Amino acid sequence: MSKANSSTDTGARTEETETGARPEETETGARTEESAAEREQERVDHAAGERLSTAPREERPETESESGAGVPAMGVVGWIRWFWRQLTSMRVALILLFLLSLGAIPGSLIPQTSVDDLKVQNFKDQHTTLSPIYEKFQLFDVYSSVWFSAIYILLFVSLIGCIVPRTGQFVGQLRSRPPGAPKRLNRLPAYTTWRTEAEPEQVHEAALGVLGKRRFRAHTAGDAVAAEKGYLREAGNLIFHIALIVMLVAFAAGQLFKSEGGKLVVEGDGFANTLTQYDDFKSGSLYDSDSLAPFSFVLDDFVGTYEESGPQRGTPRTFEARVKYTEGADGPERKGVIRVNEPLVVDGTKVYLIAHGYAPVVTVRDGKGKVVSRNSVPLLPIDNNITSTGAIKVMDGYRDKNGVKTQLGFKAFFVPTFAGHGKGQMFSQFPGAEFPVLALSAYRGSLGVDSGLPQNVYQLDTSKMKEFKNEDGELLKKMLRPGEKLDLSDGEGSITFDGIEEWASFQISQQPGNGWALGGAIAAIAGLAGSLFIQRRRVWVRAVRGPDGVTVVEMAGLGRSESAKLPEELGDLAAALITTAPVAPEKPDEPESPDAPGPSDDATNEAGSRPVHPAEAPAEGAEK
C-alpha cells in the first residue's frame, strides 16, 4: 500500500514537472522574462544616449574565438582597418599632439641652425661630448627632423581621418528629426509627470510652442513630442579639430614659404629689399627669391629715451626708428615710425625693430693730411648701458711714410656715459650719450680680408699686423672725446673722433601663414569652449488619456553627459507647459473594491511614489 502511494506521488510530481505547473517555477519564469525586458529597455535607452554623439565607436574585430575556434581571423585587410581605426581615434590624436609638444621643447632649449648658425657652432665648441649625440638625433634642426616631421604628418592624417566621418554623421543628425520617445520615460535621468484635464492634442500643441520658444527642434512622433537642443556642442568639437588642421597647415606653409633677414642701418643710410642688401638671410625650402616685396626705406632718425633718475635709472622708455619708405619701384615716399612690437608692414612684409646702438664717426688721414676714409662705424653693445666694442678697418687708400700701400686697424671701445678717470673700469654708467668716450688702439699690416675668407666685422685679426708704438715703446692707445684725435707714431697719420650717430637693426620677415594660424587658434578656443560648456540634450513630452478619462502628461530629459542643470531645465519647461495644461484637481477618495484598480495603479510612477509637481520641486522630479 505504501509502495503504491509512493508511486502515485512520484508520478504526480513527474507530471507536475512536465506541465510546469509549480507556482515557484512559474514566478521565476515571469521574473526572468521581466528582467530580460528591463535589460532590453536599458540597452535601448543607452543606445539612445550614445546617438547624441558623433564620436567614433570602438569596434572589436570579429575573431574566430567568438565562433569557437579560438584564433583571430583578421587578415591583412582586417589589420589595416584596425590600424586605421587606432590612428583616427581621439586617444591617438591626443597622444600625437602631446608628442608634438614634447618634440618642440628641445627646439626651444637647444640652438637651432635655422635660427642662428653662430650659436650652434659656439654650442658645439663648448660641448664636444653632447654635440655628436645631438647631431645624431637632429636636435640642432628639430623642426625639419625626420622624427618631428613623422609626428606632424601622423597627427595631420589622424585629425583628418577623425573629422571626415564625424562631419558626415553630424550633418546627418542635423538633417534628421529627433527620435521618438522611449517606452518608459520614467527610466531617464530627469523625469516628471502630472494629470491634467486638457486634451492630449492640446498638450502636444502647447509642448511644441514651449519647446520652440526655447530653441528646441521639436516634432510630434506618435503619442509624444520629441525635441532636441545643443547641436553647437558637436559643432564645437568639429570646429576645434578643423581649427587644429588649419593651424598645422598654416605652420607648415609658414616654414616652407617664409623668408627672414636682418639689416643694420645707420642714421642717414637706407635699405632696399633685395638679397644683396641683407646682412643675413634665411628662407624656407619652397621659397622663391623673386617673391620679395619691392620696397625701400631710409632711417632718418633713431630716438631712444631712458629713465633719468631713481631706482630705475637707465630703463628704456622710448625706442623709435623714424623712416621714410617707398612701396614699389615708383611708389610715393611716405613717413613711418617703427617701434618695438609695432612693425612697419609693406605689401605683406613686416619690418621689426630688434636692436640699436652707437656708431662713432671717425676720420682717418695719412701722413700728408689727406683724408683716407670718413664713415660711421657701428659698434656692438655688450651690456644694458650700451658699452660697445668693435673694430675700425681701413682697407684701401692708405700709404705709409714711404708711400707703400698698407692697411690700418683700430680696436675700438666706446662708452656713451663715461664715469671719469679713476672711477673704476671703463664701462658706461648710462645708456644715453651724456659723456661719450672712444678708446682706440692702433695697428698696421694685413687685415686678412684679401684671403677670401669671411671675418667678423666687429673683431680685428692682428695675427698679420704690427702695433703702433708710443714713446715708451708700448701699444699706442688713447681715450678720445668728440673732436679729439689720435696721432699715429712717426708721422704716419691720425684718426679723429668726429661725433656719434646711432644705428638700428631691423628684421625683415615674410611669413604667409601667420593670419591663418591666428584665425585657427581663435576658432580652436571658441570650438573648445562650445564643446565644454554646451550640453546636448533631448526632451520628450507624452500625453495620453488615462482609464478615468484624465490626460496623463509625462516629461523626461536625456543629456549627452550628466548635468544638474538638466532637471532644472525640465522643471522650467514643465512649469511653462502647466499654464496650458494645469494640474487636474484631486478626486475624493473612494472605497476600494477588490476588483477595482486602486489609484496607485494609474496615478503613481514605477517607483510607487505619487507624481511630483515640477513647479513645486523641479530638482526632485529627476529620477534615476
Side-chain angles (χ1 to χ4, degrees), residues 323-508:
V323 300
K324 293 178 181 177
Y325 68 96
T326 302
E327 184 174 356
D330 302 321
E333 188 177 71
R334 303 174 183 175
K335 292 184 178 180
V337 177
I338 306 174
R339 301 181 179 89
V340 178
N341 296 326
E342 295 182 18
L344 174 68
V345 181
V346 183
D347 194 15
T349 301
K350 295 183 178 181
V351 182
Y352 292 91
L353 174 64
I354 59 174
H356 91 288
Y358 292 99
V361 181
V362 295
T363 301
V364 179
R365 294 177 172 85
D366 59 14
K368 298 179 179 180
K370 178 184 176 182
V371 175
V372 176
S373 70
R374 186 182 188 279
N375 52 18
S376 303
V377 183
L379 301 181
L380 187 66
I382 60 175
D383 61 18
N384 292 332
N385 287 327
I386 318 185
T387 302
S388 306
T389 183
I392 301 173
K393 302 177 183 181
V394 180
M395 293 177 284
D396 299 309
Y398 177 79
R399 294 177 182 270
D400 60 13
K401 60 182 180 180
N402 299 322
V404 179
K405 288 184 178 181
T406 187
Q407 295 175 334
L408 300 179
F410 301 88
K411 289 184 178 181
F413 196 85
F414 174 78
V415 289
T417 301
F418 182 47
H421 293 284
K423 295 184 179 181
Q425 295 180 340
M426 185 179 172
F427 282 93
S428 180
Q429 307 299 308
F430 186 75
E434 295 185 350
F435 192 77
V437 172
L438 176 65
L440 297 174
S441 55
Y443 298 83
R444 60 183 173 184
S446 174
L447 294 171
V449 295
D450 298 331
S451 62
L453 299 176
Q455 62 176 222
N456 194 328
V457 296
Y458 300 105
Q459 294 180 352
L460 184 65
D461 182 8
T462 60
S463 59
K464 297 181 180 181
M465 304 188 77
K466 296 181 179 180
E467 300 176 350
F468 280 97
K469 303 292 185 177
N470 58 15
E471 296 177 354
D472 298 329
E474 297 178 351
L475 173 65
L476 179 65
K477 55 185 179 180
K478 186 177 182 180
M479 297 172 58
L480 305 177
R481 291 275 293 142
E484 297 179 350
K485 69 176 180 178
L486 169 64
D487 291 322
L488 303 179
S489 57
D490 299 328
E492 297 281 351
S494 65
I495 179 170
T496 305
F497 178 25
D498 296 325
I500 305 170
E501 290 181 351
E502 295 187 71
W503 58 260
S505 181
F506 299 95
Q507 177 180 295
I508 300 93

Side-chain angles (χ1 to χ4, degrees), residues 150-310:
I151 298 173
Y152 197 92
I153 294 173
L154 285 175
L155 177 60
F156 190 80
V157 174
S158 176
L159 289 174
I160 292 179
C162 181
I163 288 172
V164 171
R166 293 188 69 170
T167 302
Q169 294 176 16
F170 181 63
V171 172
Q173 291 179 2
L174 289 178
R175 298 178 62 181
S176 62
R177 290 186 171 186
K183 183 178 180 181
R184 297 184 180 182
L185 292 178
N186 58 354
R187 291 180 177 271
L188 299 183
Y191 173 80
T192 187
T193 181
W194 72 94
R195 294 155 54 89
T196 181
E197 294 180 350
E199 297 295 327
E201 293 76 10
Q202 295 177 351
V203 177
H204 290 164
E205 185 177 354
L208 289 173
V210 170
L211 292 169
K213 291 180 180 178
R214 304 295 179 92
R215 298 189 300 278
F216 277 85
R217 291 178 57 200
H219 71 107
T220 303
D223 60 351
V225 172
E228 191 168 1
K229 186 180 181 181
Y231 290 93
L232 288 179
R233 178 187 179 91
E234 296 300 326
N237 280 329
L238 295 175
I239 290 173
F240 173 73
H241 292 93
I242 292 173
L244 287 181
I245 291 181
V246 171
M247 292 172 62
L248 290 176
V249 173
F251 291 148
Q255 291 296 319
L256 293 174
F257 297 97
K258 74 173 183 178
S259 68
E260 184 176 279
K263 179 64 178 179
L264 186 148
V265 183
V266 181
E267 288 176 329
D269 292 342
F271 167 78
N273 193 26
T274 58
L275 285 178
T276 56
Q277 289 281 300
Y278 283 93
D279 295 333
D280 59 86
F281 184 83
K282 297 175 182 178
S283 62
S285 57
L286 298 181
Y287 181 78
D288 184 5
S289 60
D290 294 335
S291 61
L292 283 172
F295 71 91
S296 61
F297 67 86
V298 175
L299 178 62
D300 283 342
D301 187 24
F302 181 87
V303 177
T305 61
Y306 310 89
E307 189 68 33
E308 297 287 345
S309 61

